[in-house]
Each structure stands twice: as structure tokens, then as C-alpha cells.
Amino acid sequence: MPTAKTALPSCLNVGILWGHGSIASTAAATVDALRAMNMLAAMRPGGAQPVVRWLWLQMPHERDATPPPVPGADPGSEPLDVVVIPGWLVPTGPQLREISRRYSEHFGAMLQGHLQRGGRVAALFNGSSLLAHCGLLAGRKAALPWVFAPSIVLQSSESGARTADVAWQRERTWQRDGALWTTASLQDTLAAMLDLLAQTPAAELAQAASHALLFDPQRQLTATTAMETPTGHPLAAGALEQARRWLQDHRNEPYSLQATARAAATSPRTLLRWFAQVHGETPQDYLHRLRIAQAQALLQTTYLTVDDVAQQCGYNDTGSFRKVFTRVAGVTPGAYRQRFKLRTSRKQWLGRQGLPGTDGPV
């Protein structure tokens, strides 16, 4: 049965603040996420035009501050959907507060109006200092870099906002609170930005990009053998770990509780009890999740039919595979492929590459 085509969203406009001392890595990571979404959109039918555009928002007297050397596109006079504050590379809290004061004079009213209109804001690393200075963090949950957190919390309390102080989420690497996203470190930029973009009309593209750009433990475990590089130094493992690794290594074979228990040097009944206690599921349910993670990767990156994917992932019956996939992933295999594919159509691939029979990601 043919799968209905997913319509591409209208263009999303993103503004990125930039000036002297702005952190290049957070700005560049943001643009890379946007570029990845445009690349994936171009693979889809009707995807000739970009679905995301961005521009640099610079201070009037800092036009000489050169943004990172990445491609950009000016969205013109259309209103912004997302504003990104990349943070500043400064050594002290007082210097950060002074920068925030200067930026608030030029961008403060814009940020307040942007949020009032329903726009989204990402304050990366110590970029949350600008929100604090504008009174936009008061009463909000926020992930803050520990070295600047006291200064940012103080700024929020001094902003004059008549609400509670900012709630510093000390154990969170990044935090979403309504239309605000904040991060505690540079390395959390990509995860926070993709989560933000997943709340926009371009959500499916953001989710597809996150599958490729973010670390995924299950995808790592289920990578095809040709992509793996064995270390030759297996970790010491207890009975449960031996069972878990047995399931990983034999995930494409018919499931056998007895064989799994033998690999763990324990009885089937004991294995079931302890596996459920530690992992919160049965060994068979764990195996299903491994197989479906592998199937998701194959659906996203190859031209294999659903029947072939089912066979490669250990399901001899495609009907059973479809039922398990839908239960685990929440959508059918065909719908998942259409929404999150990371490759062009076969026709486009053959037309560009001229390699008949080649399967794989673009």
C-alpha cells in the first residue's frame, strides 16, 4: 500500500545574535542543525526550496564582528520564529553582566515582543544572562553554566520582574520551559536546538536530523557488522550483562529464553525475575527494542523493502514485525520511513550517482 506523502512545512525563520566575544561553536552548531534539516528536506518530494532560513542579528556598532564561516540566508522582512543567543566568551561574571546590559538596550524589547507573539528563544550557555537582564528568566526553570550561574541568578533578581526568581536546574544539562530553552554547557547546544526545532512546524525534519546527529545508544548497539570495529577487549560482565550482550549478538536469530539463560549461566526463571527487576522488561521485550532500533536505521538509510527489513532484523513473519514495530515506535514501518528517511528516493540516487543497485544513505 503506498504511503501518503508528508507535506513540507513553510519556511522557518531563525535569527542568531552575533557580536564581539560571541561563542562561535554554539552559533555554528545551530546553523549545522538548520543546514541538516534543509538537506533532509531537499531529499523529499517538492523539497527544492529550504524549509529553514537564518540571519545574523548584530549590534549596530559591532558590524565588524565577523560571524562564523558558515552559509547563511537572510529571511528578509518576515518575522522571526526563533531567536538564538549563542552566549559570550568572557572570563568574569561582571563582564558578562556588562555585555548583557548593552545587548538588552538594543535587543531587549525585541526579545520581549518575540516571546509575547509566541516565538521561541534558545539561550545557549551563558546567553541566558541576557534573558535574566531583561526579566525574562524570572519564575522560569533554567539550565545554567555553574561558573556563571550566581551572576545570572543575581541579574534575574535585580531585573525588577515581579515574579519568583529563576529556578536553577542544577542536574539538567539543558532545560525547556515554555518557549525558552537554556543550556548548561557548550556540548548541549545541538540536543537543545533540535528539541526546540522539534516543537515547530518543521518537527519531523528536526526529529530525523536528531537521529543522525545525536548519540543514540540503541543505534550504536544495532549498527550493522560492516560498520562495527571490534576492540577485542570485551568488558567483564555479570549474568545479566552476559544475557544482554547475548541478545545483542544474536538479535537476528529466533528468540530462545533457554539459550539466553544458558549464556548467562543461570536458569530461565531466575533470568526473567532479575532481568525484569534491573531493566524493567523481559529479555524478549529488550530484544524487540534492539530489533526495532535496527529496523528504524534500515528504514531511514536504505532502499530495502519492509519485508527485507523484517528478515534482516530477525522477523520471519512481516505481519508480526509490523505489529511489534507499531507497538514500539508508535507508527507503521512505512509511515516511519516516510517521516524520518535520511536518503533521497531511489530515482534521485540513480540519476545523480549512476550506480544501479547501490543501497545506502546519501
Side-chain angles (χ1 to χ4, degrees), residues 209-293:
S210 69
H211 294 159
L213 299 180
L214 299 180
F215 181 80
D216 188 325
Q218 285 192 336
R219 299 292 177 90
Q220 297 289 118
L221 291 174
T222 58
T224 59
T225 306
M227 298 168 59
E228 294 173 355
T229 304
T231 63
H233 300 287
L235 299 174
L240 284 180
E241 180 63 12
Q242 289 174 348
R244 190 176 67 86
R245 296 180 68 174
W246 165 266
L247 292 170
Q248 291 172 13
D249 293 340
H250 298 82
R251 62 181 178 272
N252 297 331
E253 301 173 8
Y255 171 69
S256 169
L257 175 60
Q258 288 73 21
T260 307
R262 282 197 300 271
T266 187
S267 69
R269 182 176 180 181
T270 299
L271 176 63
L272 283 175
R273 183 174 70 252
W274 283 102
F275 202 97
Q277 183 172 332
V278 174
H279 297 291
E281 59 188 345
T282 66
Q284 187 173 30
D285 287 338
Y286 176 78
L287 177 62
H288 280 316
R289 287 198 301 108
L290 285 177
R291 288 175 169 178
I292 297 309

Side-chain angles (χ1 to χ4, degrees), residues 40-52:
L40 293 173
M43 298 177 181
R44 286 154 169 71
Q49 298 300 319
V51 297
V52 187

